[in-house]
């Protein structure tokens, strides 16, 4: 009888606050990004994050053992720097879609404040290096697929300098929107897309 009671206890599902509710997890992610944007990663307070989400600090530590793991999963949850890989039919159209999707990411007010802090934090310590490398790698994989399609269509040489081409795709938007705090109109994107196509063909 005693053994059966123990087995029942072991199989019993957690109740109340012990349940890992997906909606609370998403609320914690939102609160983390808001706190990060306001104070910078180094000064993020998990107590304030929990309070923003309407939870206790224990809700965070049941999910993530450290602030770093919390940050990494939060980034993965929204995949802020990932893009789709839909073939638009031509190099110019693919570049235009890449620019449109990137602009949509960089226009988000929290992203515009978090990305510069990510870069600055990497210069101060190596804690976030793996996260940044993962974001950059995902973007460059998308870029490689874009270039592969253009090579297959005979729009680009197979021996082009891919690293230079991939750098060109992102730097113009980043420089204007993040470094200078300016926006790109749709007309700007069209002109930039034409300029990038010409530049990439010379890489």
């Amino acid at each position: 009888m005693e053994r059966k009671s123990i087995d029942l206890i072991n199989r019993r599902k957690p109740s109340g606050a012990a349940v890992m509710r997906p909606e609370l997890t998403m609320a914690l992610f939102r609160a983390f990004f808001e706190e990060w944007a306001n104070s910078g990663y180094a000064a993020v307070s998990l107590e304030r994050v929990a309070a923003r989400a309407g939870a206790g600090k224990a809700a965070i530590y049941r999910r993530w053992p450290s602030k770093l793991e919390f940050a990494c999963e939060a980034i993965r949850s929204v995949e802020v720097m990932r893009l789709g890989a839909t073939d638009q039919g031509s190099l110019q159209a693919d570049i235009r879609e890449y620019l449109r999707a990137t602009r949509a990411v960089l226009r988000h007010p929290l992203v515009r404040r978090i990305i510069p802090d990510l870069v600055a934090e990497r210069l101060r310590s190596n804690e976030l290096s793996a996260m940044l490398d993962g974001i950059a790698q995902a973007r460059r994989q998308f870029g490689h697929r874009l270039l592969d399609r253009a090579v297959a269509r005979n729009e680009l040489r197979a021996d082009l300098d891919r690293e230079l081409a991939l750098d060109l795709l992102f730097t113009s938007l980043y420089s204007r929107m993040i470094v200078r705090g300016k926006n790109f109109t749709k007309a700007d994107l069209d002109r930039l897309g034409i300029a990038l196509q010409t530049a990439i063909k010379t890489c």
Side-chain angles (χ1 to χ4, degrees):
M1 182 69 176
E2 182 178 352
R3 175 68 180 179
K4 186 179 292 186
S5 297
I6 292 173
D7 289 342
L8 287 172
I9 291 171
N10 288 338
R11 291 199 302 268
R12 188 174 299 154
K13 293 181 180 180
S15 60
V19 177
M20 297 294 192
R21 294 184 287 123
E23 64 272 19
L24 177 55
T25 300
M26 295 309 299
L28 289 168
F29 285 150
R30 286 194 299 271
F32 187 85
F33 286 131
E34 290 167 0
E35 179 70 15
W36 189 345
N38 286 340
S39 63
Y41 177 80
V44 166
S45 162
L46 296 185
E47 289 87 351
R48 289 197 297 270
V49 170
R52 279 180 181 270
K57 190 176 177 182
I60 293 175
Y61 285 111
R62 279 197 301 270
R63 290 165 170 80
W64 308 284
S66 69
K67 183 171 76 171
L68 176 60
E69 292 195 32
F70 188 0
C72 289
E73 190 167 339
I75 292 290
R76 285 195 296 268
S77 75
V78 295
E79 299 183 297
V80 295
M81 296 307 288
R82 292 182 186 270
L83 300 169
T86 304
D87 186 347
Q88 299 296 309
S90 69
L91 175 60
Q92 183 175 349
D94 277 357
I95 290 174
R96 180 67 172 75
E97 175 60 18
Y98 181 95
L99 294 175
R100 184 206 62 76
T102 302
R103 183 185 70 157
V105 170
L106 297 183
R107 288 176 71 177
H108 193 288
L110 293 183
V111 171
R112 294 180 79 156
R113 294 161 71 183
I114 288 172
I115 289 178
D117 185 68
L118 265 171
V119 176
E121 192 63 32
R122 185 175 200 170
L123 296 175
R124 290 190 288 263
S125 75
N126 292 324
E127 187 175 1
L128 299 181
S129 291
M131 182 198 302
L132 274 171
D133 289 344
I135 293 171
Q137 184 61 27
R139 291 188 59 81
R140 294 181 90 78
Q141 286 174 356
F142 173 89
H144 278 297
R145 291 193 293 272
L146 183 155
L147 297 176
D148 286 341
R149 292 195 296 268
V151 170
R153 298 188 203 104
N154 294 316
E155 295 174 295
L156 292 176
R157 302 188 326 275
D159 64 345
L160 83 158
D161 185 337
R162 284 175 172 256
E163 291 304 305
L164 177 56
L166 294 177
D167 287 342
L168 287 171
L169 278 173
F170 184 66
T171 51
S172 297
L173 283 175
Y174 183 87
S175 176
R176 182 183 293 193
M177 298 184 70
I178 300 300
V179 177
R180 298 176 56 210
K182 306 294 184 181
N183 287 315
F184 268 93
T185 66
K186 290 182 179 180
D188 291 334
L189 285 186
D190 288 337
R191 288 192 295 272
L192 178 59
I194 293 169
L196 286 175
Q197 180 183 15
T198 301
I200 289 172
K201 284 184 175 181
T202 68
C203 289

